[in-house]
Amino acid sequence: MKETVFINSDQKNNGAEVTEFAGAKLNLTLDVLSKREDGYHDMVMVMQTISLGDRLVLRTSDKPGIRVSTSFRYVPNDERNLGYKAAKEFLQAVGDEQRGIEIHMEKTIPVGAGMAGGSADAAAVLRGMNRLLDTRMRREELEKLAERVGSDVAFCIAGGTSLARGRGELLEDLPPMPECFLVVCKPGFSISTPELFRKIDRMNVRSHPDTEGMIKAIGAGDLREMAIRMYNVFEDVDDRRIRSIAEIKGVLLDHGALGAVMTGTGSAVFGLFHEEENARSCCEVLGKNYSFCRIAVPTGKQAFPE
Ligand code: ATP
């Protein structure tokens, strides 16, 4: 068996294999401003990466081409996989298209949850390739490549706490959010992102999140002020499945969450807790009715070569 060399992100590549963690994303706020001429929507979002995520192993191989495998049977292994797309972009950018790369994704992030699972994997592939091939691209260069792969990929490159605008690619770093515990719960169904955008286009969005207030609360390290500003405009869409999400929010709030909100286009919902004990007992209760329920903490920004 080949020996596995685990390398930390701050070390140089000294082997043929690296591991990379792909942290999931949560939306503390999500606002949709308008539909653009190119068909995309202008959004404003406060995003946060968390300690729950996928583990990727990237390996160089003598056999040219990109090969992807995942632990979830229903996630594609071909060019439809965002990690595959990211590897292809990376090899093109460095002019090494004949290179053989094997990528294995040990998935934890549920699919169709609004937790940017595919985007987190794509960003982890870009960071991992940078280390594996010792290309020493800077964060900005990786983010440029990421934009070509998908909307949330640029944010997932550095992660941490950020304000994202446009399609999600115009990023501003925010201070790290205060220590807390997050209970993330996904109901059995997924919500179709295009369908939700079509529905929001047809309605008059009446309430918008207080994004500025959220940024101030993060700056002040005030968890309570943050929690009351967690808001996602997609929760106002008239959809039977979204209404059922209110039930999970109710359980989160009843168990001491300071706030609870749906992330992205759903269907995952999360609650923000000050006390670990409350988060644990809430997770236990939700776990009886929902197969995906986990505790996580917010994570900080990745380190990059100077
Ligand atoms: P987002 O917050 O980005 O909208 P999501 O939870 O709605 O996230 P994903 O979980 O990223 O969406 O997956 C959506 C689609 O992307 C699925 O249909 C899946 O087949 C495809 N996909 C492509 N690559 C991956 C990957 N590496 N992991 C999971 N899904 C992937």
Side-chain angles (χ1 to χ4, degrees):
M1 224 174 82
K2 232 159 86 182
E3 194 193 342
T4 306
V5 182
F6 293 99
I7 304 167
N8 295 327
S9 11
D10 57 350
Q11 283 179 325
K12 264 177 132 188
N13 176 30
N14 61 354
E17 186 168 304
V18 295
T19 62
E20 193 70 44
F21 180 71
K25 156 238 70 166
L26 296 178
N27 283 92
L28 298 175
T29 64
L30 189 156
D31 202 1
V32 178
L33 299 185
S34 56
K35 190 169 179 182
R36 314 191 313 197
E37 283 190 356
D38 62 7
Y40 287 105
H41 290 76
D42 264 324
M43 326 252 287
V44 184
M45 305 177 278
V46 177
M47 322 234 265
Q48 175 67 53
T49 45
I50 59 170
S51 57
L52 183 161
D54 302 340
R55 196 157 288 279
L56 273 61
V57 180
L58 291 88
R59 228 175 263 131
T60 51
S61 154
D62 295 340
K63 199 171 144 208
I66 302 158
R67 282 168 297 282
V68 173
S69 58
T70 83
S71 58
F72 278 1
R73 256 185 306 130
Y74 44 89
V75 169
N77 285 341
D78 52 22
E79 23 331 286
R80 287 170 300 167
N81 191 303
L82 284 188
Y84 183 105
K85 231 173 136 183
K88 197 167 165 193
E89 286 289 346
F90 191 94
L91 291 180
Q92 260 170 14
V94 298
D96 196 1
E97 281 152 86
Q98 288 312 304
R99 173 75 76 158
I101 300 286
E102 288 171 6
I103 301 165
H104 179 70
M105 301 175 175
E106 204 52 47
K107 299 263 330 157
T108 298
I109 309 172
V111 177
M115 296 170 73
S119 304
D121 291 344
V125 165
L126 294 174
R127 288 194 307 269
M129 299 273 284
N130 201 27
R131 289 164 50 217
L132 186 68
L133 305 181
D134 197 21
T135 345
R136 296 179 159 261
M137 278 193 211
R138 287 173 301 115
R139 171 182 165 184
E140 295 71 25
E141 295 173 90
L142 292 173
E143 285 175 349
K144 275 270 158 277
L145 275 183
E147 273 179 45
R148 302 163 65 95
V149 182
S151 301
D152 285 342
V153 187
F155 162 70
C156 294
I157 291 287
T161 317
S162 289
L163 175 70
R165 293 175 187 276
R167 286 169 53 196
E169 80 288 5
L170 306 172
L171 297 166
E172 240 172 80
D173 287 352
L174 295 175
M177 67 181 280
E179 271 181 38
C180 63
F181 297 90
L182 303 153
V183 173
V184 188
C185 180
K186 182 188 176 293
F189 57 83
S190 297
I191 297 175
S192 149
T193 301
E195 187 190 325
L196 216 49
F197 273 107
R198 269 198 301 277
K199 281 188 173 169
I200 209 158
D201 283 341
R202 287 202 297 264
M203 66 183 259
N204 192 7
V205 179
R206 278 163 302 165
S207 317
H208 293 273
D210 174 12
T211 310
E212 283 309 313
M214 173 62 86
I215 294 171
K216 273 202 192 113
I218 294 172
D222 192 329
L223 210 54
R224 277 176 199 280
E225 289 295 318
M226 281 180 63
I228 56 173
R229 288 180 174 80
M230 297 201 309
Y231 189 73
N232 181 342
V233 289
F234 283 122
E235 281 190 56
D236 280 347
V237 171
D238 186 21
D239 183 289
R240 181 178 42 84
R241 290 156 302 181
I242 291 184
R243 281 197 296 274
S244 78
I245 277 170
E247 268 173 44
I248 306 178
K249 285 175 64 170
V251 177
L252 288 161
L253 295 168
D254 282 350
H255 284 80
L258 302 174
V261 73
M262 180 172 91
T263 178
T265 50
S267 59
V269 184
F270 69 96
L272 189 72
F273 290 80
H274 190 247
E275 307 293 336
E276 183 173 6
E277 211 179 300
N278 289 347
R280 295 221 171 270
S281 60
C282 182
C283 205
E284 222 167 89
V285 171
L286 283 169
K288 289 185 183 135
N289 289 318
Y290 301 96
S291 58
F292 187 92
C293 191
R294 303 273 193 290
I295 295 188
V297 292
T299 50
K301 294 220 174 286
Q302 299 273 342
F304 291 90
E306 286 298 308

